[in-house]
Amino acid sequence: MTAPVQVPRQTTAISLVAKRPGFFAKNRALVLSASALILIILLVVVLPFLLPDPNTTDAGSRLLPPSFEHLMGTDKYGRDYLSRMMTAGRVSIGMTLLITLLAAVLGTLLGLVAGYFPRVGGVVMRILDAWMAFPAIVLAIVFAVIIGPGVLSELLAVTVIFTPFTARVIRSRTMSLAARPYVRAARVAGMSSWKTLLVHVLPNTLPLAMVQCVLLASGAMLIDGSLSFLGLGVSPPTPTWGNLVAESRVYLSMRPSLLIFPGLAIAIFVFLVNIAGGSLRAFVDPRMRFLQERARLRRAGRLAG
Amino acid sequence: MIPVILRRLRDLVIIMFVVGTALFFLIRSIPGDPAKVLLGIKATPEQLAALRADLGLDGPLWQQYLEWISRAVRGDFGVSIKYREPVTELIFGHLAPTITLAVFATVISFGLTVLLVTWSTVKPTSRLSRFVNRLVQFGLALPEFWTALVLILVFSMTLRWFPPSGYTPLFQDPATALTQLAIPVVVLVIGQTAFFTITLEESVLGELTQLYLRTARVKGLSEWRIATRHVMPNSLLPILTTVGMNFASLIGGIVVIESIFVIPGLGTLLLGAVYARDFPLIQGGVLFVAFLFVFVNLLVDLTYSLADPKVRVA
């Protein structure tokens, strides 16, 4: 290991960083919510390997209350509810990530093209407006009729609904980037328009796209929940947090814990994603950072008016 | 003013046309012959031909499309397979509960939002403002279907204050109707208020940086007067559009709520149509929901242009 003292420029950089408050102190909400999310994802991925099989039925131990043996009790077939919850978490979070990723990639591409080629952009935005006229659940109903209710219909419906939101944000960013001198210089220097878009515009929209991703994830989780609750998404015996809530309805008065756990899981996940997304937004949107800081000061009573 | 209305009406027609066309071809792209599916294997060729003609499924695709468009323009969406009634009549028969829920939820949550945000603008350090600020994040995170069931568990099954399901038309028996609507509306209001509050707060924060507020304070206006006369009107304008766009997610919530509380509205109608594979009803119903969405946004934009002098003059 070479001592960093020998390289003067690096030392100044380090000392400059050291003087500022640490990343954790400045972004406590972000760090806490992000670590909690990572913890949840780890739990959901690792725990099913250690727990009893979520599909093993046991007629002798139906609808047991939470106990040491079954931490969340058992369901109507005597299956361990904690195992079901964790497997459901894999499916629900997996669906959420898949929808988010698809919508963000598609939306970014559409937004780039619509923003960089104004003539195409007008047409694309008109079509996107028409897309947004569908409530996601209603579109899921359409796809459920066409290809049968299931993973594919849910994925298609929600992706189609979410894509325009990303596309709009990325488009306006692209439009402002396209007018920058360095982008024009690249074009004048003979770079093709697609290559300019790829090399000079796309990288600058990526932070924004990432934040959009996080913001979409909370909506995706809620819609995934509603759709599997209504039987339009992933259906039993594969558990999701949404269809676990639906299954618990019959035993509502007898064993309310079956209702409480999966709903709470969705709520906590969405809550954490919202907090993380809100703090991330401050990184890409200076106006947002300014406003959030003002709001904090006002509530602390340190900002007059 | 009139050009604004005309332009919006043109957009409405374009969007309805695009949505209708997309729906038509999506539904026609389903493999298999709907007539055969509906009548089963015992059907005679004459019966099949008659049903195809009935459903508008005979002739080449473009001819079917033109036929469908010309009927749709006259408000004729065919006959539902499940109910054997005209789709248009079915939709209007199931409209009242959905509209009742939507209006109650929107009016109550919008009113509540304006009250809460005005309070937190005037007294940002008060306990209520800080509490609301925390609570909003929870309100946004709660899934409607779950909140509904939890409220049923607490208020219908344990405390027995409200019935767990059912629907009575509002003007037929207001007392019963209101007790039945209480939980569904509260569920919708929680989510909507949280969303409106966060949007309006952001708008207010932006407005608070304006310099004219300093002038207002210097000339001695009270914080209340500044908030109600200056900050609120200016911050409310941009969020009107948000209220309109939010209509789509409100409809989504209403579909879920209707299914939980067994309310015979549009959502229940459409969900029932999925399981019966009732194509004409799905096509008409979905197109109608899209129409509602565009129409609500048209109304919002018109209110906007009436309220905003800059837009009114332009």
Side-chain angles (χ1 to χ4, degrees):
Chain A
M1 239 180 97
T2 48
V5 192
Q6 290 171 338
V7 191
R9 280 180 73 186
Q10 210 174 333
T11 347
T12 43
I14 287 171
S15 58
L16 269 178
V17 170
K19 267 182 205 159
R20 287 155 64 195
F23 184 80
F24 176 73
K26 270 169 70 191
N27 304 286
R28 192 166 294 156
L30 177 63
V31 174
L32 287 180
S33 56
S35 10
L37 277 173
I38 293 170
L39 185 72
I40 290 179
I41 293 176
L42 276 179
L43 274 180
V44 157
V45 171
V46 175
L47 270 186
F49 292 117
L50 311 172
L51 289 167
D53 181 65
N55 292 318
T56 310
T57 56
D58 178 3
S61 53
R62 298 174 68 237
L63 295 169
L64 291 179
S67 64
F68 188 71
E69 196 187 345
H70 299 284
L71 283 176
M72 289 186 179
T74 56
D75 73 353
K76 58 181 168 178
Y77 297 120
R79 296 176 289 198
D80 180 55
Y81 208 55
L82 181 64
S83 309
R84 303 242 347 128
M85 278 288 297
M86 290 303 138
T87 314
R90 277 186 177 180
V91 181
S92 291
I93 295 177
M95 280 303 278
T96 306
L97 294 183
L98 203 57
I99 291 168
T100 312
L101 204 67
L102 271 177
V105 169
L106 255 167
T108 307
L109 286 179
L110 273 174
L112 278 175
V113 173
Y116 197 69
F117 305 102
R119 217 172 285 164
V120 189
V123 180
V124 172
M125 289 328 275
R126 264 290 137 72
I127 298 173
L128 290 189
D129 281 347
W131 276 7
M132 288 170 96
F134 281 98
I137 288 187
V138 173
L139 194 71
I141 289 177
V142 175
F143 282 115
V145 168
I146 296 171
I147 48 184
V151 179
L152 189 64
S153 70
E154 177 188 334
L155 207 57
L156 271 176
V158 185
T159 308
V160 165
I161 293 302
F162 279 13
T163 304
F165 291 96
T166 321
R168 278 169 163 250
V169 177
I170 298 294
R171 175 179 177 248
S172 60
R173 184 60 183 261
T174 307
M175 278 163 71
S176 78
L177 285 171
R180 297 260 174 98
Y182 75 90
V183 175
R184 296 180 163 219
R187 293 283 287 127
V188 172
M191 198 180 243
S192 78
S193 50
W194 283 99
K195 198 169 176 202
T196 319
L197 201 55
L198 194 71
V199 176
H200 292 299
V201 182
L202 175 67
N204 284 309
T205 60
L206 280 183
L208 197 61
M210 297 288 278
V211 175
Q212 273 294 308
C213 240
V214 179
L215 293 175
L216 282 182
S218 70
M221 173 56 88
L222 285 175
I223 288 190
D224 170 73
S226 312
L227 289 179
S228 45
F229 175 79
L230 292 173
L232 296 173
V234 180
S235 46
T238 308
T240 66
W241 286 335
N243 69 34
L244 286 184
V245 171
E247 283 179 2
S248 77
R249 279 178 75 175
V250 188
Y251 309 98
L252 205 54
S253 51
M254 204 171 134
R255 191 63 65 223
S257 60
L258 293 184
L259 166 72
I260 303 301
F261 289 128
L264 211 56
I266 298 181
I268 291 173
F269 186 86
V270 173
F271 176 76
L272 291 173
V273 169
N274 275 339
I275 298 287
S279 352
L280 275 180
R281 230 179 116 188
F283 281 94
V284 289
D285 188 349
R287 185 183 141 81
M288 204 54 219
R289 183 167 44 211
F290 172 65
L291 291 183
Q292 280 177 2
E293 184 59 20
R294 272 185 69 99
R296 206 178 56 75
L297 289 178
R298 270 174 63 80
R299 269 194 298 279
R302 281 165 49 198
L303 190 71
Chain B
M1 194 62 218
I2 289 172
V4 176
I5 300 180
L6 285 180
R7 203 169 60 230
R8 296 296 312 195
L9 280 176
R10 186 201 61 194
D11 284 1
L12 190 144
V13 172
I14 294 177
I15 291 180
M16 292 316 294
F17 179 76
V18 172
V19 168
T21 307
L23 261 181
F24 177 87
F25 287 106
L26 270 177
I27 299 229
R28 283 298 183 282
S29 70
I30 303 169
D33 181 353
K36 262 186 199 155
V37 175
L38 289 172
L39 292 177
I41 40 169
K42 286 183 195 156
T44 60
E46 292 80 42
Q47 280 175 319
L48 282 176
L51 184 66
R52 276 196 208 111
D54 231 30
L55 296 173
L57 291 174
D58 47 352
L61 196 62
W62 62 270
Q63 206 180 325
Q64 290 179 25
Y65 175 63
L66 289 181
E67 173 77 8
W68 183 79
I69 288 265
S70 77
R71 281 215 239 161
V73 168
R74 284 173 276 151
D76 174 9
F77 293 102
V79 177
S80 153
I81 295 168
K82 186 181 168 193
Y83 299 92
R84 310 218 170 263
E85 273 176 62
V87 168
T88 321
E89 274 177 34
L90 275 173
I91 289 175
F92 281 102
H94 287 76
L95 193 55
T98 306
I99 299 281
T100 313
L101 277 176
V103 169
F104 266 109
T106 309
V107 169
I108 295 178
S109 43
F110 194 74
L112 201 61
T113 303
V114 172
L115 286 180
L116 287 176
V117 176
T118 311
W119 176 261
S120 71
T121 312
V122 179
K123 299 216 186 304
T125 53
S126 77
R127 199 165 287 172
L128 179 69
S129 314
R130 291 189 202 180
F131 181 62
V132 166
N133 188 265
R134 298 261 157 75
L135 213 59
V136 161
Q137 288 297 339
F138 288 104
L140 279 178
L142 292 175
E144 275 141 346
F145 56 94
W146 184 66
T147 330
L149 290 177
V150 170
L151 292 184
I152 288 181
L153 181 67
V154 176
F155 292 104
S156 310
M157 301 175 93
T158 313
L159 297 172
R160 298 187 181 280
W161 288 356
F162 301 104
S165 66
Y167 174 79
T168 317
L170 190 58
F171 296 109
Q172 194 180 308
D173 182 359
T176 321
L178 286 179
T179 55
Q180 285 172 339
L181 280 173
I183 302 183
V185 168
V186 166
V187 172
L188 291 170
V189 162
I190 292 174
Q192 296 262 330
T193 309
F195 178 70
F196 289 160
T197 305
I198 218 163
T199 324
L200 185 59
E201 284 263 19
E202 207 178 303
S203 181
V204 163
L205 277 174
E207 200 57 37
L208 283 176
T209 60
Q210 299 281 352
L211 285 178
Y212 72 82
L213 292 179
R214 194 166 62 191
T215 317
R217 286 204 186 90
V218 167
K219 77 176 185 188
L221 289 189
S222 71
E223 282 297 321
W224 271 109
R225 209 169 159 76
I226 292 175
T228 50
R229 295 297 294 274
H230 292 290
V231 179
M232 267 306 145
N234 283 330
S235 327
L236 273 174
L237 267 183
I239 90 146
L240 271 183
T241 338
T242 318
V243 175
M245 295 302 288
N246 188 50
F247 186 71
S249 82
L250 176 63
I251 287 286
I254 289 179
V255 172
V256 174
I257 293 298
E258 282 178 3
S259 118
I260 293 177
F261 291 91
V262 203
I263 297 171
L266 277 183
T268 313
L269 187 71
L270 284 179
L271 272 180
V274 173
Y275 302 116
R277 298 181 74 77
D278 192 339
F279 305 119
L281 186 54
I282 288 284
Q283 208 164 359
V286 171
L287 202 56
F288 183 77
V289 172
F291 169 78
L292 267 187
F293 176 80
V294 184
F295 184 70
V296 165
N297 276 291
L298 177 82
L299 283 186
V300 167
D301 280 12
L302 290 183
T303 327
Y304 192 109
S305 41
L306 277 178
D308 187 355
K310 271 188 288 186
V311 183
R312 194 167 50 210
V313 174

